[in-house]
Amino acid sequence: MGKPKFYDFCVHAVPDGENTIEQLSTLARHLGYSGIALANHSDKLPQSQPVLPTTNEFEVFRGIELVEENPSKLHGLIGKFRKSVDVLIVHGGSETINRAALENPRVDILNHPAFDKSNGLNQVLAKAAAENDVAIGLTLRPLLHSRGPRRVRLLSDLRANLDLARKYDVSLLLSSDAMSCFDLRSPMETLALAEICGLEEDEALEAITTVPEKIISRSRPGPGYIREGIEVLEEGDCF
């Protein structure tokens, strides 16, 4: 088995974050990542699409984090951006938006599901996430920037959602949610922090390797792809 490839699928560059995508990608590559997803919030997009720096050993994927309080308008945004991005994230934070995201198979990740005194998920929503293959995002920046009761609450919400994800076999995705270069953490630091938060070693590893790879393979089907469930096989691909 080869060396795993690590990914951070939620970083924010200017004008949403503090640093350019070139600065973020240079540091992420230095830290040991094989790729990151530029996922600026939809209400803070640049005037024009930036050119994403990519090499043979490192790729910047085009993503977006949709921010919308109206479920109907959210579905419209999903339809608008789905074909133009590799990674489509919904910024949750209410029961109606969480439901709309988790019931839509065109969504890749739901970030920040918690709201008020709720962890944001329940059995019904966890089942919807599993059925529609929507990953639950576990973001490190809010935890690292919080203190006292706020951090306790975030950890409590995370562990409640982790229990639901395990029970219903929901995919988890770890990301820095970086708003600057100072928010980026190396893959080993990310794995260590995730284990402190309650993830098992294999769960944390999958959340920054195989889960992001699965998202990309879904948004970038192979040359033989026709539609979901149908693929043209080259001679010798079957037996």
Side-chain angles (χ1 to χ4, degrees):
M1 182 177 179
K3 183 179 178 181
K5 293 183 177 181
F6 301 106
Y7 301 91
D8 186 339
F9 265 17
C10 188
V11 301
H12 305 277
V14 292
D16 195 1
E18 298 177 12
N19 295 102
T20 66
I21 189 59
E22 289 81 9
Q23 291 169 325
L24 289 163
S25 60
T26 297
L27 179 56
R29 184 180 179 188
H30 173 74
L31 290 173
Y33 287 97
S34 294
I36 59 175
L38 172 62
N40 281 358
H41 293 91
S42 57
D43 56 349
K44 294 182 180 179
L45 294 177
Q47 293 296 320
S48 59
Q49 286 193 349
V51 176
L52 303 185
T54 296
T55 70
N56 290 334
E57 299 177 353
F58 184 89
E59 184 167 5
V60 179
F61 299 99
R62 194 173 299 280
I64 193 169
E65 185 167 0
L66 300 179
V67 181
E68 177 54 60
E69 297 180 357
N70 183 299
S72 296
K73 291 183 179 179
L74 175 64
H75 287 303
L77 288 174
I78 293 169
K80 175 182 178 181
F81 287 103
R82 177 66 275 183
K83 290 185 178 181
S84 62
V85 298
D86 299 307
V87 184
L88 193 147
I89 304 169
V90 170
H91 188 115
S94 74
E95 184 174 356
T96 55
I97 289 300
N98 291 350
R99 180 182 295 275
L102 296 176
E103 291 181 346
N104 194 322
R106 294 178 295 174
V107 174
D108 294 316
I109 308 160
L110 173 66
N111 277 353
H112 316 295
F115 59 93
D116 297 333
K117 295 182 179 180
S118 170
N119 57 295
L121 299 182
N122 54 39
Q123 293 183 351
V124 173
L125 294 183
K127 287 180 181 178
E131 290 171 359
N132 294 298
D133 205 10
V134 181
I136 300 301
L138 307 178
T139 54
L140 295 180
R141 180 178 57 83
L143 282 167
L144 295 174
H145 285 261
S146 63
R147 297 291 184 274
R150 171 63 176 162
R151 179 174 285 182
V152 173
R153 167 66 194 282
L154 288 171
L155 285 170
S156 176
D157 290 340
L158 186 153
R159 287 169 179 163
N161 289 337
L162 180 57
D163 288 341
L164 284 167
R166 287 169 173 161
K167 182 175 181 179
Y168 294 100
D169 196 24
V170 179
S171 296
L172 299 171
L173 187 131
L174 269 170
S175 70
S176 65
D177 192 31
M179 299 297 286
S180 79
C181 286
F182 296 108
D183 292 327
L184 291 174
R185 296 293 182 274
S186 72
M188 293 303 104
E189 287 180 292
T190 298
L191 292 172
L193 287 167
E195 290 183 47
I196 291 173
C197 292
L199 277 76
E200 299 293 337
E201 182 179 357
D202 59 336
E203 291 175 327
L205 184 61
E206 286 183 3
I208 59 173
T209 58
T210 57
V211 173
E213 286 177 342
K214 182 179 178 182
I215 289 172
I216 291 302
S217 67
R218 188 169 61 205
S219 65
R220 295 181 177 181
Y225 178 85
I226 298 177
R227 57 176 297 176
E228 187 173 356
I230 302 176
E231 184 176 356
V232 176
L233 299 178
E234 297 292 337
E235 184 178 354
D237 285 347
C238 54
F239 56 91

